[in-house]
Amino acid sequence: MPFETSFQASPNEPAERVYSELYTSPAMINEHRKIASVPRLNGCTLETITASIMLWSDSTHLASFGTASLWPIYMYFGNQSKYVRGKPLCFAAHHLAYIPKLTDTIQDFYQQAFEKPATAEVLTHCRHELMQAIWLLLVDDDFMHAYEFGIVIEFLDGICRRVFPRFFTYSTDYPEKTLLACIKFLAKCPCPRCLIPKAKIGELGTRAGQALS
């Protein structure tokens, strides 16, 4: 989900700002201001809070031998300091979901339905659709209602505030990025978001149009 990354300081704010946490980033501050500026439903006057969601997912083997594995989705809150999130004993990570993998029966089903075996490209597309279907289950109608209108939560200080969840980061490795975007592995471009051909990666950092000598 797109966010404004430009930060416009007001005249009362200092000209310099130290960036070290997600909650001090321009994206977080701009999103907080955007939410606070929107009129609340039924004239609600509760303080608005941005719950910054940070996601990770990675298929993990459970043992050195065998094929047992899990594909978890972890969720952190950027409202917490990175020095807290980085400590395992703080239990800042939340297991959001586990993505299932295609079973061996998919080939039998495909053979019966189309009278030919599934190709590697078809299986990749099926894995992509399966992963997207899991996210559709997670981002359901209740979540989207909370995303648009917020959800009232009583904080530890006894004050109720209206909390708006927002996605800020989603970290995955290269194979999962290609699976999410359903693009060819190790194709012409290095990742789903980059338009630089791999042949020109060596020119990164040079002037535009300047070839390496």
Side-chain angles (χ1 to χ4, degrees):
M1 299 179 185
F3 294 96
E4 298 178 5
T5 56
S6 60
F7 177 73
Q8 299 295 331
S10 66
N12 297 327
E13 291 179 329
E16 296 183 0
R17 179 182 293 272
V18 177
Y19 303 124
S20 62
E21 300 280 359
L22 190 145
Y23 51 75
T24 62
S25 66
M28 179 77 167
I29 295 173
N30 287 335
E31 188 63 21
H32 177 74
R33 289 174 173 172
K34 184 192 304 182
I35 291 173
S37 65
V38 176
R40 298 277 74 82
L41 189 66
N42 298 326
C44 176
T45 59
L46 295 177
E47 178 186 359
T48 57
I49 300 295
T50 304
S52 57
I53 298 176
M54 307 174 69
L55 299 169
W56 277 262
S57 65
D58 187 19
S59 180
T60 306
H61 287 283
L62 300 179
S64 300
F65 303 96
T67 58
S69 63
L70 285 176
W71 194 351
I73 300 176
Y74 299 103
M75 180 181 70
Y76 293 81
F77 287 104
N79 304 68
Q80 290 180 298
S81 171
K82 61 186 179 183
Y83 300 107
V84 175
R85 297 197 310 268
K87 295 180 179 180
L89 294 180
C90 290
F91 300 101
H94 305 272
H95 287 201
L96 190 63
Y98 289 91
I99 303 175
K101 293 190 175 183
L102 293 178
T103 64
D104 295 336
T105 59
I106 185 66
Q107 278 288 11
D108 298 333
F109 171 81
Y110 195 92
Q111 180 75 38
Q112 183 178 3
F114 301 100
E115 298 182 350
K116 60 180 180 180
T119 62
E121 290 78 9
V122 170
L123 293 178
T124 299
H125 177 73
C126 290
R127 296 187 186 98
H128 163 81
E129 291 297 302
L130 177 60
M131 193 172 190
Q132 297 292 337
I134 297 300
W135 277 111
L136 284 177
L137 292 176
L138 295 174
V139 188
D140 57 6
D141 292 340
D142 292 336
F143 178 86
M144 293 309 301
H145 186 275
Y147 186 94
E148 183 174 359
F149 301 106
I151 180 173
V152 177
I153 299 177
E154 181 178 352
F155 285 61
L156 292 177
D157 57 6
I159 300 177
C160 291
R161 298 175 175 88
R162 187 171 292 275
V163 179
F164 290 81
R166 291 293 186 269
F167 293 108
F168 276 81
T169 64
Y170 185 10
S171 300
T172 63
D173 58 13
Y174 176 78
E176 286 191 32
K177 285 183 179 180
T178 60
L179 184 61
L180 278 167
C182 202
I183 63 175
K184 186 177 180 180
F185 185 79
L186 297 177
K188 182 178 179 180
C189 295
C191 78
R193 299 185 59 186
C194 186
L195 300 179
I196 301 297
K198 288 192 296 184
K200 292 184 175 294
I201 290 179
E203 299 179 18
L204 291 176
T206 62
R207 291 183 179 181
Q210 176 183 350
L212 292 177
S213 57

